[in-house]
Amino acid sequence: MHTDTYRHRGMRRTLVEELRRKGIRDERVLTAIGVVPRHLFFDAAFQPHAYQDKAFPIGEGQTISQPYTVAYQTELLQVRPTDRVLEIGTGSGYQCSVLLELTPHVFSIEYNQVLFERTARRLMAMQRPPHLFCGDGSLGLPQHAPFDKILVTAGSPTLPRPLLRQLRVGGALVIPVGDETTQRMMRVVRESEEEFSRQELEEFRFVPLLGQAGWGKQ
Ligand code: SAH
């Protein structure tokens, strides 16, 4: 159950081909998806489904994002090997592990204490673990800012001001923005201290971003 086998690697190759057909182009992102054993981020009951291009429950009413969504957001981030990246919504830790294939400087924050503890145990066993935090990620991580890239993996009602402020000039924020049912993916670049440009992309469905700059407490 806790191992990666030849069969799993074969299923990952098939998943990578599916993502390529669906329009993911960045070879570094496809390679990362091909390497990270997604089944190890699942509860035992769902493990047989780990290489389907679907979202699945991870407990606490939350989900592990669909591989297409993970690949799409990661491609938009354009991570360079020296980038400091902040992820909001650690969840299962899968997206975090994909980011770690692209840069060793990954910070991730999770709001839900139960998920945080479970996932921290899983990720801290890695050879070069990420920096993990439990708290309200809608406020970012001011003590570790600025970041070159910020990725939000939950749906936000607005562009959270604290996250914009914690971007380095030239850095990018990738975030789904909308109502509780659908959100549009946004890519915001900090062009200078005061100027931001933004691109509006495809529609998605994420679980809500909670917290002060999100939908509030729950
Ligand atoms: N990136 C995750 C997807 C998790 S779903 C993965 O790869 O599995 C979104 C996650 O965001 C949930 O775990 C939810 O608890 C978390 N979340 C929601 N609001 C948050 C907030 N304000 N700060 C940090 N995490 C938050």
Side-chain angles (χ1 to χ4, degrees):
M1 271 307 191
H2 298 289
T3 53
D4 194 25
T5 65
Y6 184 74
R7 194 173 59 86
H8 291 117
R9 287 193 285 278
M11 289 192 282
R12 279 205 292 284
R13 268 200 298 279
T14 307
L15 173 62
V16 165
E17 288 319 310
E18 183 174 350
L19 297 179
R20 215 189 277 281
R21 273 200 309 281
K22 289 179 174 173
I24 304 299
R25 291 276 169 269
D26 188 330
E27 288 301 326
R28 291 181 318 135
V29 173
L30 291 167
T31 301
I33 302 270
V35 168
V36 179
R38 189 168 188 258
H39 63 285
L40 299 183
F41 297 83
F42 275 60
D43 294 339
F46 292 106
Q47 275 199 2
H49 307 289
Y51 295 103
Q52 292 175 23
D53 189 22
K54 286 188 185 156
F56 281 98
I58 53 172
E60 300 296 304
Q62 304 302 328
T63 53
I64 178 170
S65 303
Q66 186 181 337
Y68 175 74
T69 307
V70 172
Y72 185 93
Q73 288 199 295
T74 311
E75 187 168 72
L76 280 178
L77 271 188
Q78 295 174 13
V79 179
R80 288 165 309 190
T82 53
D83 278 353
R84 285 160 59 84
V85 180
L86 171 63
E87 176 196 25
I88 319 296
T90 318
S92 67
Y94 175 67
Q95 168 77 72
C96 188
S97 302
V98 170
L99 291 172
L100 279 168
E101 292 295 318
L102 303 173
T103 172
H105 316 292
V106 179
F107 298 74
S108 185
I109 178 163
E110 171 57 49
Y111 198 52
N112 182 290
Q113 179 102 33
V114 176
L115 281 182
F116 169 78
E117 279 167 20
R118 192 195 306 154
T119 299
R121 234 175 292 132
R122 181 181 290 152
L123 293 180
M124 294 319 272
M126 294 175 69
Q127 222 163 40
R128 279 182 305 166
H131 306 279
L132 297 179
F133 302 82
C134 188
D136 179 5
S138 73
L139 302 177
L141 207 54
Q143 68 275 33
H144 295 280
F147 297 98
D148 299 288
K149 306 286 159 62
I150 301 179
L151 172 61
V152 181
T153 69
S156 178
T158 57
L159 290 176
R161 189 171 277 278
L163 300 186
L164 295 174
R165 300 250 63 100
Q166 290 171 38
L167 270 185
R168 198 192 292 284
V169 171
L173 164 68
V174 171
I175 179 171
V177 178
D179 58 28
E180 281 106 325
T181 54
T182 53
Q183 303 87 30
R184 190 164 291 285
M185 195 66 76
M186 308 265 244
R187 183 172 198 274
V188 184
V189 173
R190 186 169 201 173
E191 304 285 358
S192 69
E193 274 302 313
E194 297 305 328
E195 288 168 304
F196 295 86
S197 63
R198 76 182 198 209
Q199 228 181 328
E200 297 190 14
L201 301 144
E202 286 178 45
E203 277 197 349
F204 289 86
R205 268 167 185 275
F206 283 80
V207 296
L209 177 72
L210 305 177
Q212 255 189 66
W215 290 99
K217 284 203 184 354
Q218 213 171 65

